[in-house]
Amino acid sequence: MLKFIDLFAGIGGFRIAFENLGCQCVFSSEWNKFSQTTYEANFNHKPEGDITLIPTSEIPDHDILTAGFPCQPFSIAGVTKHNALGIRHGFEHPTQGTLFFEIVKIIKEKRPKAFILENVKNLQSHDKGKTFEVIKNVLSQDLNYHIHYQIFDARSLVPQNRKRIFIVGFDKAINFNFPELPDFKPRIRDILESEVDSKYTLTDHLWNYLQKYAEKHKEKGNGFGYGLVDLDGIARTLSARYYKDGAEILIPQVGQNPRRLTPRECARLMGFPETFIIPVSDNQAYRQFGNAVVPPVVEAIGKEIIKSLDNPVQVLVKPPLIINQLELSLVF
């Protein structure tokens, strides 16, 4: 049985996916106390706290590392020059002091067979592309992992636009292909509860405010405004700010103001199972699901990772071209 660890675990989206694939979670870490509560309610295990305070030596050996890590800018002073000369720079230089650095430390010491990392699709353009460049360099050059990355939109599995980038790495050059996600043609109406408390219906004050706000920005040529969904279509991306007013995903109602999604509907919108326990307040639940990964997407990718680990077909990789300073001076 393959063992995995669940970093920046949130409410356990990665864990659901990999346990569905027959893997065993041997460690998890999540600093938010409300997310810890939800995680413990569902897995009978409270995650460890702040990963920056946990010595790497105390983390169990594992085959797969999973993490939905926060996006932070890195210092890249000197990195471009070193790369041009073919000189491998120390991994601590560009990522020191970031939460990504904690992942790097664990990979460096534990050397898992594979890892899967998730982030918003804009990671590639974050800080004018510098952040993603550092991430690729650190994972492939400094840690010597063979990486693959791709943006997935969960809209074929759940009824919302949700694009996220996934980075997969292996400690050996083995054959791996990202999956083609099936299209289940999901619809918003399929995730709605039959009976919903009136507290989720927008007040006249809030509904009037949202309409005026949208009209004001429409006149300015901006696209800001509420998202009244087509029940036979899909929704906008559920975000952690949904608890504020629910404006991005509003459900139309006959003869009354639209309403927010309920926490259970948010769980369905994210692909969480019906058995998933929601022990926290509505506001906390909205934050948690808005920050979560979509378990069915992770499971589809995880299935291909496990397939590659079970049948490790070696791929021939050409060694990098190293140009020393003498050769460089001759070129120019």
Side-chain angles (χ1 to χ4, degrees):
M1 178 183 291
L2 292 173
K3 298 178 179 179
F4 70 96
I5 64 171
D6 194 8
L7 303 180
F8 306 102
I11 55 175
F14 273 108
R15 182 161 180 164
I16 289 172
F18 276 90
E19 286 189 345
N20 284 347
L21 293 168
C23 300
Q24 178 189 5
C25 184
V26 294
F27 176 85
S28 63
S29 171
E30 168 57 46
W31 71 273
N32 183 274
K33 65 179 183 180
F34 298 106
S35 293
Q36 286 181 332
T37 296
T38 300
Y39 196 102
E40 185 174 17
N42 284 278
F43 304 106
N44 296 315
H45 166 72
K46 184 177 180 179
E48 300 294 329
D50 189 345
I51 190 64
T52 65
L53 303 179
I54 302 171
T56 308
S57 58
E58 293 183 8
I59 295 175
D61 291 339
H62 52 278
D63 302 295
I64 302 171
L65 177 148
T66 75
F69 65 98
C71 185
Q72 295 173 284
F74 302 136
S75 167
I76 61 165
V79 174
T80 303
K81 177 183 177 182
H82 289 158
N83 286 344
L85 296 175
I87 301 171
R88 182 172 295 176
H89 54 272
F91 80 93
E92 295 182 3
H93 172 65
T95 65
Q96 183 79 44
T98 69
L99 291 172
F100 178 71
F101 176 66
E102 302 303 320
I103 296 173
V104 172
K105 283 197 304 183
I106 295 169
I107 292 175
K108 184 174 186 287
E109 182 166 327
K110 295 298 180 177
R111 298 300 298 181
K113 296 176 182 177
F115 59 74
I116 174 172
L117 312 178
E118 179 263 3
N119 212 296
V120 295
K121 70 181 181 68
N122 291 336
L123 176 67
Q124 287 183 289
S125 57
H126 187 262
D127 196 19
K128 299 180 180 179
K130 296 175 184 177
T131 297
F132 195 60
E133 194 63 28
V134 171
I135 287 172
K136 289 191 296 181
N137 288 341
V138 169
L139 295 176
S140 61
Q141 296 180 26
D142 297 333
L143 297 181
N144 200 27
Y145 273 72
H146 302 270
I147 66 169
H148 312 260
Y149 54 91
Q150 183 171 314
I151 292 175
F152 282 85
D153 191 340
R155 62 179 297 163
S156 67
L157 300 180
V158 293
Q160 69 166 308
N161 279 303
R162 194 175 191 85
K163 294 181 180 179
R164 294 291 185 267
I165 188 167
F166 287 87
I167 307 170
V168 171
F170 296 91
D171 65 339
K172 296 182 175 60
I174 58 179
N175 187 52
F176 170 79
N177 293 299
F178 280 108
E180 289 284 338
L181 298 181
D183 188 358
F184 295 149
K185 302 188 184 306
R187 305 177 303 170
I188 281 291
R189 69 168 66 251
D190 296 328
I191 65 143
L192 300 182
E193 296 189 84
S194 56
E195 296 184 11
V196 175
D197 193 299
S198 61
K199 70 179 182 179
Y200 296 105
T201 296
L202 300 190
T203 63
D204 290 340
H205 176 76
L206 178 55
W207 179 223
N208 289 333
Y209 167 78
L210 291 177
Q211 292 179 93
K212 290 179 181 178
Y213 182 83
E215 187 62 32
K216 181 177 69 174
H217 282 282
K218 184 178 180 181
E219 291 173 357
K220 294 181 179 180
N222 298 328
F224 301 113
Y226 58 85
L228 199 61
V229 303
D230 173 1
L231 297 184
D232 288 314
I234 63 174
R236 297 179 181 180
T237 303
L238 179 69
S239 72
R241 71 166 298 283
Y242 191 72
Y243 76 95
K244 292 185 176 180
D245 53 29
E248 66 225 53
I249 306 174
L250 293 176
I251 306 301
Q253 300 185 106
V254 178
Q256 55 183 322
N257 297 342
R259 68 171 178 84
R260 296 179 176 89
L261 293 168
T262 68
R264 177 56 59 190
E265 290 168 341
C266 288
R268 294 171 181 171
L269 188 68
M270 292 297 298
F272 279 70
E274 283 297 295
T275 54
F276 193 81
I277 300 168
I278 307 173
V280 293
S281 69
D282 286 0
N283 281 356
Q284 289 299 330
Y286 289 141
R287 290 173 185 264
Q288 292 173 5
F289 288 117
N291 282 326
V293 296
V294 176
V297 174
V298 176
E299 187 171 340
I301 300 171
K303 185 176 181 180
E304 295 303 316
I305 293 174
I306 293 171
K307 185 187 299 182
S308 295
L309 292 177
D310 288 343
N311 302 284
V313 179
Q314 293 291 125
V315 176
L316 181 63
V317 178
K318 293 182 179 180
L321 178 64
I322 304 298
I323 302 178
N324 62 38
Q325 288 180 301
L326 175 60
E327 290 172 327
L328 197 62
S329 63
L330 293 175
V331 171
F332 293 97

